[in-house]
Amino acid sequence: MTVKLDFEECLKDSPRFRASVELVEAEVSELETRLEKLLKLGNGLLESGRHYLAANRAFIMGICDLAHLGPPEPMMAECLDKFTQSLSHKLDSHAELLDATQHTLQRQIQTLVKEGLRSFREAGRDFWRGAESLEAALTHNAEVPRRRAQEAEEAGAALKVARAGYRGRALDYALQINVIEDKRKFDIMEFVLRLVEAQATHFQQGHEELSQLAQYRKELGGQLHQLVLNSAREKRDMEQRHVLLKQKELGGEEPEPSLREGPGGLVMEGHLFKRASNAFKTWSRRWFTIQSNQLVYQKRYKDPVTVVVDDLRLCTVKLCPDSERRFCFEVVSPSKSCLLQADSERLMQLWVSAVQSSIATAFSQARLDDSPRGLGQGSGHLAISSAATLGPGGLTRGREPGGVGHVAAQVQSVDGNAQCCDCREPAPEWASINLGVTLCIQCSGIHRSLGVHFSKVRSLTLDSWEPELVKLMCELGNVVINQIYEARVEAMAVKKPGPSCSRQEKEAWIHAKYVEKKFLTKLPEIRGRRGGRGPPRGYPPVPPKPGLIRPKPGSFRSKPEPRSEDLESLHPGALLFRAAGHPPSLPTMADALAHGADVNWVNGGQENATPLIQATAANSLLACEFLLQNGASVNQVDNQGRGPLHHATILGHTGLACLFLKRGADLGVRDSEGRDPLTIAVETANADIVTLLRLAKMREADAAQGQAGDETYLDIFRDFSLMASDDPEKLSRRSHDLHTL
């Protein structure tokens, strides 16, 4: 930019002056674009440089670990130590270079963009507004008729004022143009000079540092050469093994359908037609096999197998003479049935015999496996009793908690849920399952952008809903949550966005409401603002609640307690723990989480129990689901090594045990007495939990073998969830109950 404006020329307001101004504005606009691009590139350079430094420092730490691993040779240890020390000095110099570059960018370029060009832009806007005012005044003065003396006098006075204002702004703008020309040259050249000086210092220091390591580099080069040779040998060996395994795999052929005598009876494998469980009831031909006490199938040879029956002990097989197709039989499990068709009458009989024989073999093997542990034949009896009791129809097979439309209607019927929680759009069809509110489609997109640690979005009409999650949504709702997150909106005189507001307004509101939490009621100082795993410093642990007992064999139960205690004095984590007890209060739990409570807070005064363990003791399915949806760990244990699944098993809470298994509870965790959940379930003779835990162990075994399986496990867990939600008293059975059925 080389344009210089004369102040006298700007007073004349000549076309030459206007053309010069437009040229300057175009050049300044291009200058601003290039400066912003330079800033963006510089920020990218700084970010990449810091990532580079972090990776190099981690690499140096790895070299240091190698230098001190085992009894290395003194020369090698000295070499590596000196090399890493020198490289660390070089990285420190690089960090200084990045800091100098950042400082120069901010001091010269960013200051020029934010201050110099901003002043220029403001002067330009004032100039053009003055020019428009002058043009309007000139036009009005010219249009006044000769006979209207008063109007002509007023127009002349207005023209005089407009001309004076325009000239003042033109002079200011000309000054800014001339100043920005000089400032541009000074700032850019100073930036380049400082950058070059920083680069020169950095590379000079690096050269001096590395020049001292000539001998050490040679020694390290010899060691690296040996490592390269060893790596080449290993690569060659791996390639040879890969070729051999690949040839073996490709050489395998699919076996012909066959019937053979196995150790426990007939074993069948071959093609069968399977009727789908969808609405179309389509038939597909698949390759079926009985293996590892399971009935599985696959479409093609290399496809992963799909499990039809997880455990043959939990099913039965029967003929289907009334089916539309010939040669059909049905395999019935506790949660669903599978209709199959053979190619002939003989094959159908062989398949039925093979399945029945495999069922008998599975029970015999189970009794043999369980006897050394003192279980005798009881475990097998528990499994078959549970299967018989919860068999077809016992768990309302195929039952869902209503269609998707039913879920939407049920959730929207809660007070306040007929409108979006954040913008009041009617008939919202989306929900935040961890907050328990309904949302319109635009607000749901904004919630999703916050991340799942703030909001987990699900469709009321497109997604499937578990019964406990539907009840959780109905327990909370927009009115309850807004009383927490919008508690101070009226006092702060903040306007809530409406349905017609822009996305930017809604986004700002949602961010302020859920991320910044500007509208929460402030907590007393004693409750603290930290989110640690215990109460704040100086605050005692939450003592055991009155009525908490330790029943045999070792879990605690929660009983109602007086409400005389002042909950307002509690730390958020302690408040969450207390609200999860009996009876649980979901609004109070939501309030505690909103104020920063750690969902995995540990109560040191009550055996390091967590809120999830406290909710388990209270046998509250909704409180446990709420905590899990908000990030509670299903595997965190107390000081006796017992997690939520242990406590649910000890207390006989089948619905909660099913919930924890669905949420990924670890079956192998043992408490301080060395018992895992399955051992506890067998000792307490809870047949339903034994069945669930054994199914879960089978699924773990399948996953360890790389078998995907089908929906059988999930169907069984879903049926238990439905019963826990709708008829929880049916899940309080013990083994003596099952014997009498």
Side-chain angles (χ1 to χ4, degrees):
M1 187 173 67
T2 59
V3 178
K4 285 282 189 177
L5 297 182
D6 183 73
F7 291 120
E8 284 74 11
E9 189 72 22
C10 75
L11 294 177
K12 297 178 182 178
D13 193 23
S14 64
R16 182 170 53 256
F17 169 71
R18 290 292 183 97
S20 300
V21 169
E22 293 175 356
L23 178 60
V24 169
E25 290 180 342
E27 291 180 348
V28 170
S29 178
E30 180 65 22
L31 173 64
E32 184 177 14
T33 300
R34 295 185 182 185
L35 289 176
E36 290 177 349
K37 179 181 179 181
L38 179 62
L39 282 174
K40 184 176 181 180
L41 293 174
N43 292 331
L45 172 66
L46 294 173
E47 183 178 0
S48 300
R50 292 190 175 93
H51 285 301
Y52 170 79
L53 290 177
N56 271 273
R57 295 188 191 282
F59 176 69
I60 293 174
M61 292 300 299
I63 296 177
C64 292
D65 294 340
L66 291 177
H68 299 89
L69 179 62
E73 297 180 0
M75 182 179 297
M76 180 178 179
E78 182 182 4
C79 173
L80 293 178
D81 287 340
K82 286 186 175 293
F83 173 73
T84 53
Q85 183 179 6
S86 176
L87 190 55
S88 297
H89 293 164
K90 187 174 181 299
L91 293 179
D92 293 339
S93 175
H94 196 166
E96 294 175 359
L97 172 63
L98 293 178
D99 292 339
T101 303
Q102 182 179 18
H103 178 72
T104 305
L105 276 172
Q106 293 176 346
R107 181 177 178 180
Q108 305 299 328
I109 305 302
Q110 191 171 358
T111 302
L112 178 60
V113 172
K114 289 188 175 181
E115 297 181 3
L117 295 184
R118 182 177 60 188
S119 300
F120 172 81
R121 292 295 186 191
E122 292 175 354
R125 286 192 294 268
D126 292 341
F127 168 75
W128 289 111
R129 283 195 295 266
E132 291 176 359
S133 300
L134 177 60
E135 185 70 22
L138 288 170
T139 302
H140 179 65
N141 183 68
E143 291 175 349
V144 174
R146 186 187 302 275
R147 63 180 178 278
R148 298 181 181 177
Q150 180 66 27
E151 185 175 351
E153 183 179 352
E154 292 176 355
L159 176 59
K160 184 177 180 181
V161 172
R163 183 178 288 114
Y166 167 75
R167 288 179 176 178
R169 293 174 179 178
L171 288 172
D172 293 341
Y173 195 26
L175 176 62
Q176 287 296 329
I177 290 174
N178 293 330
V179 168
I180 199 66
E181 168 68 16
D182 294 334
K183 187 173 181 60
R184 174 184 68 89
K185 295 178 181 179
F186 169 82
D187 287 341
I188 293 177
M189 293 188 67
E190 185 176 359
F191 163 71
V192 174
L193 178 61
R194 292 180 180 274
L195 188 61
V196 171
E197 290 176 349
Q199 292 277 349
T201 302
H202 166 66
F203 286 108
Q204 184 178 359
Q205 292 177 350
H207 175 73
E208 294 174 354
E209 188 70 36
L210 294 177
S211 297
Q212 303 173 6
L213 297 175
Q215 182 62 30
Y216 294 110
R217 287 185 310 192
K218 292 179 182 179
E219 295 179 5
L220 186 60
Q223 296 295 331
L224 179 60
H225 179 68
Q226 186 62 38
L227 290 176
V228 170
L229 293 178
N230 294 338
S231 177
R233 295 191 192 97
E234 293 179 359
K235 180 180 179 182
R236 184 169 58 253
D237 293 340
M238 287 189 295
E239 289 175 347
Q240 291 175 354
R241 291 197 301 269
H242 174 264
V243 171
L244 292 176
L245 292 175
K246 188 174 182 181
Q247 290 175 351
K248 181 179 179 181
E249 176 67 19
L250 295 178
E253 296 180 356
E254 184 178 359
E256 295 294 330
S258 62
L259 175 66
R260 57 186 174 85
E261 188 75 19
L266 293 175
V267 176
M268 175 69 76
E269 55 184 8
H271 281 105
L272 290 173
F273 282 94
K274 175 184 178 297
R275 192 179 73 174
S277 58
N278 55 28
F280 300 101
K281 305 298 182 182
T282 56
W283 291 82
S284 303
R285 188 171 173 81
R286 298 290 183 265
W287 179 266
F288 280 81
T289 308
I290 298 176
Q291 63 179 26
S292 302
N293 196 23
Q294 292 180 329
L295 178 63
V296 302
Y297 71 87
Q298 55 189 154
K299 182 178 180 180
R300 288 181 293 269
Y301 178 65
K302 292 186 178 180
D303 287 349
V305 297
T306 300
V307 179
V308 178
V309 177
D310 301 311
D311 189 348
L312 288 174
R313 293 172 295 174
L314 301 178
C315 74
T316 185
V317 60
K318 64 179 181 178
L319 300 178
C320 299
D322 298 331
S323 176
E324 296 181 357
R325 292 198 173 197
R326 300 174 299 160
F327 320 132
C328 290
F329 63 98
E330 188 175 20
V331 179
V332 182
S333 67
S335 61
K336 66 177 183 179
S337 63
C338 181
L339 188 61
L340 304 172
Q341 181 188 20
D343 294 337
S344 65
E345 180 73 21
R346 175 177 171 275
L347 287 177
M348 180 188 69
Q349 295 294 340
L350 290 176
W351 270 107
V352 172
S353 299
V355 174
Q356 292 174 342
S357 177
S358 299
I359 293 173
T361 302
F363 277 111
S364 300
Q365 185 64 36
R367 287 193 289 271
L368 292 175
D369 294 340
D370 293 339
S371 295
R373 296 194 304 233
L375 301 179
Q377 299 179 2
S379 63
H381 182 75
L382 285 176
I384 191 64
S385 298
S386 178
T389 306
L390 304 177
L395 283 177
T396 60
R397 174 174 54 87
R399 176 185 177 189
E400 299 290 343
V404 290
H406 174 76
V407 172
Q410 187 175 357
V411 174
Q412 291 174 358
S413 65
V414 178
D415 187 22
N417 284 10
Q419 294 181 339
C420 174
C421 179
D422 294 320
C423 74
R424 293 165 291 183
E425 176 81 20
E429 294 184 352
W430 296 82
S432 173
I433 58 177
N434 63 311
L435 293 173
V437 298
T438 58
L439 305 166
C440 67
I441 186 171
Q442 190 174 56
C443 290
S444 71
I446 300 173
H447 272 251
R448 189 177 286 109
S449 68
L450 299 179
V452 295
H453 53 293
F454 285 108
S455 184
K456 299 178 181 178
V457 178
R458 183 177 293 187
S459 172
L460 291 172
T461 58
L462 302 178
D463 294 325
S464 60
W465 286 74
E466 296 172 331
E468 59 268 23
L469 194 54
V470 176
K471 287 197 171 185
L472 176 63
M473 291 293 301
C474 296
E475 182 74 13
L476 292 172
N478 296 354
V479 173
V480 173
I481 298 303
N482 280 341
Q483 287 176 352
I484 299 172
Y485 284 90
E486 297 181 4
R488 297 196 302 139
V489 168
E490 294 185 2
M492 296 172 64
V494 180
K495 183 178 179 182
K496 183 174 181 177
S500 60
C501 291
S502 65
R503 178 184 175 88
Q504 289 75 15
E505 292 176 296
K506 295 179 181 179
E507 192 170 42
W509 167 264
I510 291 173
H511 192 275
K513 179 178 177 181
Y514 298 104
V515 179
E516 301 177 16
K517 299 180 180 179
K518 290 184 176 180
F519 315 127
L520 293 179
T521 302
K522 303 300 182 182
L523 291 177
E525 290 298 327
I526 188 172
R527 290 174 65 176
R529 303 301 297 168
R530 298 187 300 273
R533 290 188 170 270
R537 183 176 301 175
Y539 182 82
V542 179
K545 300 167 64 176
L548 287 181
I549 62 175
R550 182 170 302 284
K552 222 173 177 181
S555 182
F556 58 83
R557 298 180 185 271
S558 175
K559 287 187 175 182
E561 62 173 327
R563 292 291 180 178
S564 60
E565 182 174 348
D566 184 13
L567 297 180
E568 289 296 323
S569 64
L570 293 176
H571 174 265
L575 178 62
L576 177 64
F577 183 92
R578 185 60 55 86
H582 186 88
S585 173
L586 292 184
T588 305
M589 295 169 67
D591 194 10
L593 289 175
H595 285 89
D598 184 359
V599 72
N600 294 311
W601 187 82
V602 173
N603 186 0
Q606 194 165 329
E607 301 180 356
N608 286 343
T610 63
L612 185 57
I613 294 178
Q614 176 82 335
T616 304
N619 194 19
S620 174
L621 189 68
L622 294 185
C624 291
E625 177 68 20
F626 179 70
L627 291 169
L628 290 170
Q629 291 296 340
N630 282 278
S633 173
V634 75
N635 291 315
Q636 187 167 339
V637 298
D638 57 18
N639 60 2
Q640 295 187 7
R642 294 172 181 157
L645 182 58
H646 288 82
H647 290 284
T649 304
I650 293 173
L651 298 172
H653 300 333
T654 308
L656 293 182
C658 179
L659 176 65
F660 298 148
L661 288 172
K662 289 193 299 182
R663 296 296 185 268
D666 190 350
L667 300 174
V669 176
R670 297 180 181 272
D671 61 10
S672 57
E673 300 177 7
R675 303 182 302 170
D676 61 8
L678 181 56
T679 302
I680 295 174
V682 173
E683 291 177 356
T684 57
N686 192 312
D688 292 342
I689 296 183
V690 167
T691 301
L692 286 172
L693 292 171
R694 287 189 170 177
L695 289 174
K697 279 187 174 291
M698 295 176 189
R699 189 167 182 84
E700 280 189 353
D702 291 348
Q705 297 174 3
Q707 298 180 2
D710 63 356
E711 299 295 329
T712 304
Y713 293 100
L714 297 180
D715 289 344
I716 294 176
F717 289 151
R718 186 180 300 112
D719 288 338
F720 272 102
S721 297
L722 285 169
M723 185 174 290
S725 180
D726 298 340
D727 302 303
E729 66 279 357
K730 292 185 179 180
L731 293 180
S732 60
R733 300 170 298 181
R734 298 288 178 177
S735 61
H736 59 80
D737 301 323
L738 297 175
H739 285 305
T740 60
L741 293 176

